Amino acid sequence: MRVTQSMLSNNMLRNLTSSYSKMGKLNDQLTTGKKVNRPSDDPVVAMRGLGYRMQVDKVVQYQRNIGEVNNWLDSTDDALDKVGQALHRTKELVTNAANSGAMTDADREKIKSELDQLRQQIQDTANTKVGDKYIFSGTKTNSPLHDKTITPPSTEPNGYPDLTDPNNAAFTSDININVFDGVELNVNSKSAELFKEIDDMFKSFNDPDVDFGAAIGKVDGMMDELLTERADVGARQNRAELMNDRLETQELISTKQMSMNEDIDFEKVITEMISQESVHRAALSVGARIIQPSLVDFLR
């Protein structure tokens, strides 16, 4: 086959274009630090990268969910702690009132007045909110557990919903938050019945014939139930912490896989860039010799 000057020139230009393209690709990799800057660079790496990136994003979302779980559980534990403090004070007052030899009727009325304030404090605690959601109202997060504006027959006289009514089943329903694939954590405390029982106990203190000696046992019983509820909340807090540790590990693993798939080895790419520049200079040098002769050169 006869090789003409135009064929040599075209081949030279094609090879130079290819060389420029390779250097451009290497330059893009050095600039971005990524092996692939468009799917056409390496479809397999690009598809794997999408999968790893989705995994990282999923883990980040689960970590945000864990933050919401901790917010609910920490607020619940704090509220129940305040109830416990109120019950401790209640026991002190009831024990003093049970001392018939040292207490006058006027003293007992003062104690009843403070007990009534403690009752109202616990009622307010029953309506604790996280953001705009009531945390002790089950799935009826828009409704307060204790509502002083509602009167019978809708609720009990003490302002708490009638939990034996099927229409109020939502007040004792679970709220679950997804924290991993197929894993949910219960974040609310179904303490509606406990708050109602505590309020009934305080209501009995207003009875003119109340036996404060027997009331000490009632207070102890409420404190035991409260401790049981707090232990359950604490167990869920520990599990949430374990899940958070697992998610942090998963984030590291997913990020490492994504980096190994996408990130370049700078030393390797720089070496390739230098080698390609040398090849390109050699091609330019040879090309200059190929296109140098002209018709005038042959006529000399």
Side-chain angles (χ1 to χ4, degrees), residues 20-226:
Y20 275 122
S21 177
K22 291 178 181 178
M23 285 196 298
K25 182 177 180 180
L26 291 171
N27 184 63
D28 289 342
Q29 291 181 353
L30 289 173
T31 302
T32 62
K34 300 295 181 182
K35 297 177 184 176
V36 174
N37 292 289
R38 57 185 66 86
S40 59
D41 291 341
D42 192 327
V44 175
V45 171
M47 290 302 297
R48 287 178 180 172
L50 287 175
Y52 292 141
R53 201 172 301 281
M54 289 176 61
Q55 180 65 24
V56 171
D57 292 342
K58 185 188 297 185
V59 170
V60 171
Q61 180 58 55
Y62 286 147
Q63 287 177 322
R64 284 196 288 265
N65 291 356
I66 282 288
E68 185 68 10
V69 169
N70 288 328
N71 193 15
W72 274 72
L73 293 179
D74 291 346
S75 298
T76 300
D77 186 59
D78 179 68
L80 294 179
D81 178 60
K82 296 302 186 291
V83 174
Q85 293 177 21
L87 289 179
H88 276 291
R89 178 56 181 165
T90 299
K91 184 177 181 180
E92 292 177 4
L93 294 173
V94 170
T95 301
N96 290 336
N99 189 354
S100 58
M103 286 286 165
T104 64
D105 290 341
D107 292 332
R108 289 189 177 86
E109 288 302 318
K110 293 176 183 177
I111 287 176
K112 287 183 178 181
S113 177
E114 185 173 351
L115 288 172
D116 185 61
Q117 292 300 314
L118 290 172
R119 179 187 183 186
Q120 294 181 40
Q121 175 63 27
I122 293 176
Q123 289 174 351
D124 292 337
T125 304
N127 292 338
T128 300
K129 300 172 75 174
V130 169
D132 59 349
K133 301 180 185 299
Y134 293 96
I135 63 176
F136 293 115
S137 297
T139 54
K140 294 194 69 172
T141 55
N142 294 326
S143 303
L145 180 60
H146 180 266
D147 193 343
K148 298 177 182 179
T149 65
I150 301 179
T151 57
S154 298
T155 62
E156 296 284 341
N158 58 6
Y160 287 93
D162 181 5
L163 299 178
T164 62
D165 186 348
N167 294 325
N168 292 325
F171 281 100
T172 56
S173 298
D174 290 335
I175 295 178
N176 298 315
I177 293 180
N178 194 7
V179 295
F180 205 69
D181 291 337
V183 179
E184 293 182 340
L185 287 183
N186 175 227
V187 297
N188 68 316
S189 178
K190 294 181 288 186
S191 304
E193 183 64 34
L194 176 61
F195 278 106
K196 187 173 181 298
E197 291 176 357
I198 292 174
D199 201 79
D200 288 339
M201 178 189 69
F202 275 99
K203 182 181 177 182
S204 68
F205 295 156
N206 293 324
D207 191 333
D209 300 324
V210 60
D211 182 355
F212 282 107
I216 296 175
K218 292 182 180 180
V219 177
D220 285 336
M222 292 297 100
M223 292 175 67
D224 289 340
E225 289 189 36
L226 181 66

Side-chain angles (χ1 to χ4, degrees), residues 250-262:
Q250 288 295 317
E251 183 183 19
L252 288 175
I253 293 173
S254 299
T255 303
K256 180 180 179 181
Q257 290 176 332
M258 185 172 65
S259 177
M260 292 175 63
N261 180 68
E262 297 180 0

